[in-house]
Amino acid sequence: MTFNLFDILFVNGSYKDAFDRLSNGEFMVVPSGPGLATIDKDELYYNALKNADFAIPDSGFMIILARLFYNLKINKLSGLKFLRKFIDEEILRRDNVLFSVEPNIAESIKNRNYLSSKGVAITSEYQYISPYYKKDNIIDDKLLEILESLQDKPKFLLLNIGGGVQERLGYYIKNNLSYKIGIICTGAAIAFETGSQAKLPKWIDEIYLGWLARTIQHPQQFAPRFLKAFRLLYVFYLCKTKKCL
């Protein structure tokens, strides 16, 4: 089951639907509340979201506002919940199925160790340290060259880099790679599991309080970010009144 919001196609909280689509080589985005709050201003980011094959409803604030403005009943599927289920998939026990893009060397080691501890078969050859991307023009010929040169083509591409960048990179890969690959934009979700970011128990995520747990644990990092998410109320108002988007 799917629904359309802001001209973005969402699966309605079904992990199986999301995984099946990714298995067919589709491009998945996981827009956050703060990210969605910028779509009337950030054209390139919004374009990547609209041109993804599908999104999952990660933002609890978005879900609440969609119910208030459009009477939409949405089942939440956060990026973290998706990732926790994804790494349990049997197919990831096979060699060279997963390729990941990492923000730096330290995180790549942490992420590889974590995935390996969960039985995911991944080696450093199937990890890539991303350069610094300029948001207004995200291209990466080197990453494309590596993906094209692999003898065993990966089935899934996991982007563990920041929101606002990963979506544009995923869109670039989708448009330029010669073969289909399931593109997963869960960003920093893996960092909650490795300990690089705040710990999020499952029950906190389920009741839409992940933002609060992160703010309490790291207020200087997360408080400004989540305050920006309140602008999403204005974006919903604009869309409801047909003034933008």
Side-chain angles (χ1 to χ4, degrees), residues 35-54:
L36 288 169
T38 70
I39 59 175
D40 63 316
K41 301 187 298 180
D42 191 338
E43 184 178 350
L44 293 175
Y45 171 66
Y46 184 35
N47 188 56
L49 295 183
K50 289 190 295 181
N51 285 284
D53 293 303
F54 70 100

Side-chain angles (χ1 to χ4, degrees), residues 5 41 47 55 57 64 91 113 137 200 224 228 245:
L5 186 63
K41 301 187 298 180
N47 188 56
I64 291 169
I91 193 173
N113 289 341
N137 186 31
L200 285 185
K228 292 177 182 177
L245 305 186

Side-chain angles (χ1 to χ4, degrees), residues 81-188:
K81 183 176 181 179
F82 172 89
L83 183 70
R84 285 169 170 167
K85 288 179 175 290
F86 176 70
I87 61 176
D88 285 336
E89 292 290 344
E90 189 61 32
I91 193 173
L92 297 183
R93 275 66 197 156
R94 304 178 194 170
D95 291 339
N96 306 332
V97 169
L98 180 67
F99 189 102
S100 67
V101 176
E102 312 289 359
N104 54 59
I105 293 174
E107 292 300 314
S108 74
I109 295 170
K110 278 187 179 182
N111 293 344
R112 183 169 69 250
N113 289 341
Y114 170 73
L115 291 170
S116 296
S117 75
K118 294 294 183 179
V120 177
I122 188 169
T123 63
S124 59
E125 289 75 20
Y126 276 69
Q127 288 183 296
Y128 174 75
I129 310 302
S130 67
Y132 175 79
Y133 295 114
K134 295 181 179 180
K135 284 188 176 183
D136 59 345
N137 186 31
I138 291 183
I139 59 174
D140 195 332
D141 293 335
K142 183 179 178 182
L143 176 56
L144 273 182
E145 183 180 342
I146 291 171
L147 290 171
E148 294 287 3
S149 68
L150 293 170
Q151 183 173 357
D152 294 328
K153 298 295 189 283
K155 189 172 182 64
F156 302 104
L157 177 64
L158 181 64
L159 303 184
N160 296 322
I161 57 178
V165 173
Q166 60 179 326
E167 298 85 0
R168 298 177 212 203
L169 179 62
Y171 184 43
Y172 167 79
I173 295 297
K174 175 189 174 183
N175 288 333
N176 291 280
L177 192 65
S178 68
Y179 59 92
K180 279 194 169 186
I181 188 170
I183 302 172
I184 303 167
C185 292
T186 46

Side-chain angles (χ1 to χ4, degrees), residues 1-2 9-30 53-57 75-79 81-83 85-86 89 155-156 181-186:
M1 184 177 177
T2 62
L9 180 69
F10 286 83
V11 296
N12 195 1
S14 169
Y15 168 78
K16 184 179 184 304
D17 286 353
F19 178 74
D20 287 347
R21 285 173 174 264
L22 287 167
S23 297
N24 289 324
E26 294 194 9
F27 166 35
M28 180 185 86
V29 292
V30 189
D53 293 303
F54 70 100
I56 59 173
N75 298 311
K76 190 174 190 289
L77 177 60
S78 70
K81 183 176 181 179
F82 172 89
L83 183 70
K85 288 179 175 290
F86 176 70
E89 292 290 344
K155 189 172 182 64
F156 302 104
I181 188 170
I183 302 172
I184 303 167
C185 292
T186 46

